[in-house]
Amino acid sequence: MPLLVMKFGGTSVADLSRIANAAKKVQAEVARGYDVIVIVSAMSGETNKMVGYVEGTSKLYDAREYDAVVSSGENVTAGLMALRLQEMDIPARSWQGWQVPINTTSAHGSARFIDIPRANIDAKFAEGFKVAVVAGFQGLSAEGRITTLGRGGSDTTAVAFAAAFGAERCDIYTDVDGVYTTDPRIASKARKLDRIAFEEMLELASLGAKVLQTRSVELAMRYKVRLRVLSSFEDTDENSGTLVCDEDEIMESKVVSGVAYSRDEAKMTLVTVEDRPGVASAIFGPLADAGVNVDMIVQNISEKNYGTHTGAVTDMTFSVPVNQVARAQKAMEEARAAGIIMYDELISDTDVAKVSVVGIGMRSQVGVAARMFKALAAENINIKVIATSEIKISVLIDRKYMELAVQALHDCFELDKA
């Protein structure tokens, strides 16, 4: 039988009525002739509740026990979904991660997949079962302990199952009806995309779009798993939602497919750093060791006195998530105290945002950056930092101009038009 993977997020299974609604969508696919693997998240808010329980019990908690507690929400949802399907006369059973088993690394809280053996679930399908309901977000370490995959891990679970079982498609049901050219709450002209390439979706996800978890898109691109993003709360058919697929499945791409933004960014500048071989390693090594996620990097070189040394010096600017500024400052102060790096001053600007345009059409078009910068200049928006890749241009700007910039760029590249 053809096989389909369907994933339902926390808002889609938030209570018994929504679980029943999701079960009807599974029933419709079974009626079309599919065997179905359903991946479920915990009910909306349950994981946060479990995290609160752990932190309220132990500040320096054992990560293994943390995973045992926070993974429990998915187990509840899986059992309830299986029960609902059984009430609808659909042969179904639930599976926890260890029962499949979903084999992962032992990195508790951020485990990665090793493999998903098919034998146990295939045997149940062979017996006549039509649906396997699997708890997302969790797995099993080599030591026999429950692991979790990090926030958004149920998306990654769904893609991994689709790859392991050769599914025809992986449908991600959420609270939006697809992937839009930008956030409709900011740009009223935002348009739902019928299709988007893996690379574009990966960039949008990493740049702040919350529709899909970044690791799930990476996995889908690697194994060519066709993803479909669609709403749990609307009637759907085979043409609903947005298909995330290989570039070859898209007839002709627009130069820019979407505008993404990240509101909580910070710009940090090390002033007067000696310009010598190894200086970048001396800066970004300690930041990496401290767990700071550095994004955009700009280096300016000038000639001036550096203490008692006259020679080339540089100012090094980089962006980090705003909630990692204190950690970055501490890492740099400790590196200076240890003599690893010398600088005159560390300046932090915590009132910036990142706005990006993304599109595989940029590969074959010139002048995209010029159009983008002209549109921002027309709105009197100053650019602080620029970073580019083959299919992306990102800028840091003052946060107060973020929404204006998104609207201006959406209009500039006429993303409201198909």
Side-chain angles (χ1 to χ4, degrees), residues 81-139:
M81 176 67 80
L83 286 171
R84 171 51 57 184
L85 290 166
Q86 290 169 11
E87 287 293 307
M88 300 163 70
D89 294 325
I90 297 172
R93 65 154 284 187
S94 66
W95 299 78
Q96 296 179 19
W98 64 271
Q99 293 173 306
V100 175
I102 303 170
N103 296 315
T104 72
T105 62
S106 301
H108 288 275
S110 58
R112 290 186 173 268
F113 293 105
I114 295 175
D115 69 343
I116 302 175
R118 294 181 50 162
N120 288 340
I121 289 180
D122 277 346
K124 287 299 178 185
F125 282 140
E127 290 176 16
F129 280 80
K130 299 302 296 179
V131 181
V133 185
V134 180
F137 177 60
Q138 60 179 245

Side-chain angles (χ1 to χ4, degrees), residues 17-87:
S17 65
R18 290 190 177 180
I19 290 174
N21 178 66
K24 290 178 182 177
K25 295 185 180 298
V26 177
Q27 181 184 44
E29 298 299 347
V30 171
R32 292 189 180 106
Y34 287 102
D35 286 341
V36 181
I37 297 175
V38 177
I39 308 297
V40 292
S41 298
M43 293 180 180
S44 184
E46 285 300 304
T47 301
N48 288 338
K49 185 191 296 183
M50 295 299 123
V51 171
Y53 287 159
V54 171
E55 293 177 345
T57 302
S58 173
K59 294 298 181 185
L60 300 174
Y61 53 75
D62 182 334
R64 294 165 297 185
E65 302 304 338
Y66 172 92
D67 278 359
V69 174
V70 301
S71 64
S72 62
E74 281 73 14
N75 297 338
V76 172
T77 312
L80 291 173
M81 176 67 80
L83 286 171
R84 171 51 57 184
L85 290 166
Q86 290 169 11
E87 287 293 307

Side-chain angles (χ1 to χ4, degrees), residues 161-182:
F161 269 83
F165 283 80
E168 184 176 302
R169 195 178 64 245
C170 178
D171 287 349
I172 306 291
Y173 284 86
T174 182
D175 53 3
V176 296
D177 62 349
V179 180
Y180 279 73
T181 49
T182 195

